[in-house]
Amino acid sequence: MENRNTAPVGVFDSGVGGLTVVREIARQLPDENIIYFGDTARVPYGSKSQNTIIRFSEQIIRFLKTKQVKAIVIACNTASALALDAVRDEFDIPVMGVVIPGARAAVEATRNRKIGVVGTDATVQSGMYTKVIHEMAPDVTVIEKACPLFVPLVEEGFKEHVVTREVIKYYLESMRDTDIDAMILGCTHYPLLRSKIRDYLGEKIQIVNPAYETAMDLKELLREQNMENGGATLEHSRYAFYVSDAAEKFRMFANTVMPFDVPTTNVVNIEEY
């Protein structure tokens, strides 16, 4: 790679949720170029086995490496949980996930040592947030709760609908009645419901958005490895979007998440990698 400073950062997810991570990276690191891959043909990852998720992640990383990326962010909680260690051992490129940054921020935020985590079935069943939090702070009590309906509500455009408020109450009533004082949005779709969740939980519970924390960790990583794009080019940073299926549906959704117009989305046959 001739100039790794101007090389793009690769970001991938099982579908559209990882766009919340791209949005934060674009906000916090405006000079960086980003290549995004959403595995829309094989979504959701939440119901797949660990071996399958590792295989998918390897294929996507091989594809991203053809785009000369300098670092990779797994913007998917399930893949971060189940594949991060395996791909880190396999590839000679910095790879980071969203779980560790989110867990660390929650441990720093909690005062009474009780943290809630909401996520998909796979993420919650993996118990991975609990495991990572306990490695950092064994004294913290973690309450994990699967909220499987949050993702379809976001994807079908029900963010503002009364139904969403009902579902939030249904899932989070038990958590609101505990004395957690920090809660991790353990799925990349969930930041899109953040204000509604905050309205329901009230001010005493601090909501941790791993997408923001991941962007800050990426900033640190690029600085440490002397790979930041100093913004020497005057043109606006370039963002490219790739999916494995349903490009137009992806682009329409992406336009509701990203603060700029999403350019053409390209379809990739990911099975070739």
Side-chain angles (χ1 to χ4, degrees):
M1 205 179 302
E2 282 119 68
N3 189 348
R4 57 183 202 160
N5 295 73
T6 54
V9 172
V11 180
F12 78 87
D13 177 43
S14 57
V16 297
L19 291 168
T20 59
V21 178
V22 175
R23 183 174 68 179
E24 286 300 334
I25 295 171
R27 275 179 191 154
Q28 311 304 332
L29 293 81
D31 293 330
E32 296 299 336
N33 303 306
I34 301 172
I35 307 266
Y36 181 83
F37 179 83
D39 199 358
T40 44
R42 305 186 295 195
V43 69
Y45 282 10
S47 49
K48 312 263 193 302
S49 72
Q50 179 164 16
N51 285 343
T52 297
I53 288 167
I54 291 172
R55 183 171 66 84
F56 287 178
S57 300
E58 289 167 344
Q59 288 178 316
I60 295 166
I61 292 171
R62 285 196 283 271
F63 163 69
L64 288 171
K65 285 192 71 162
T66 67
K67 301 293 175 195
Q68 270 75 53
V69 296
K70 59 186 172 184
I72 288 176
V73 177
I74 303 181
C76 166
N77 284 269
T78 307
S80 295
L82 301 176
L84 180 62
D85 291 344
V87 297
R88 266 191 175 155
D89 292 344
E90 189 181 341
F91 294 98
D92 58 340
I93 183 172
V95 183
M96 55 187 294
V98 288
V99 170
I100 291 165
R104 198 180 50 239
V107 168
E108 286 166 9
T110 181
R111 291 287 155 263
N112 61 11
R113 316 312 281 164
K114 287 193 177 67
I115 295 173
V117 180
V118 287
T120 63
D121 282 325
T123 299
V124 168
Q125 276 161 17
S126 75
M128 184 229 1
Y129 269 102
T130 300
K131 191 169 116 257
V132 170
I133 289 168
H134 282 159
E135 279 165 12
M136 298 174 183
D139 63 313
V140 168
T141 303
V142 185
I143 300 167
E144 295 204 42
K145 175 84 179 162
C147 305
L149 284 174
F150 282 179
V151 167
L153 284 171
V154 167
E155 291 202 358
E156 298 303 327
F158 277 79
K159 235 167 31 181
E160 302 303 326
H161 199 282
V162 57
V163 131
T164 299
R165 280 203 297 276
E166 289 301 317
V167 172
I168 288 171
K169 178 174 188 283
Y170 172 76
Y171 283 140
L172 299 186
E173 194 158 24
S174 57
M175 206 175 267
R176 191 173 70 168
D177 295 341
T178 64
D179 43 1
I180 63 163
D181 63 352
M183 190 179 83
I184 299 171
L185 301 178
C187 169
T188 48
H189 281 73
Y190 296 3
L192 300 170
L193 298 175
R194 184 184 177 167
S195 57
K196 299 273 179 299
I197 292 170
R198 199 175 48 214
D199 288 349
Y200 179 71
L201 291 176
E203 294 302 303
K204 70 180 202 311
I205 297 175
Q206 192 168 329
I207 294 179
V208 174
N209 177 4
Y212 169 79
E213 307 300 337
T214 302
M216 299 317 275
D217 273 29
L218 175 64
K219 195 175 198 168
E220 190 58 32
L221 171 87
L222 296 180
R223 193 165 52 224
E224 274 171 14
Q225 306 219 1
N226 209 0
M227 293 197 298
E228 308 143 286
N229 188 3
T233 50
L234 289 172
E235 56 188 307
H236 185 266
S237 303
R238 285 168 306 282
Y239 303 107
F241 296 88
Y242 296 85
V243 292
S244 47
D245 195 19
E248 194 44 35
K249 188 180 175 195
F250 172 90
R251 201 182 65 82
M252 284 164 63
F253 185 83
N255 275 321
T256 68
V257 178
M258 301 306 293
F260 53 79
D261 234 9
V262 172
T264 320
T265 301
N266 310 283
V267 178
V268 176
N269 180 2
I270 197 65
E271 295 290 358
E272 287 176 353
Y273 290 89

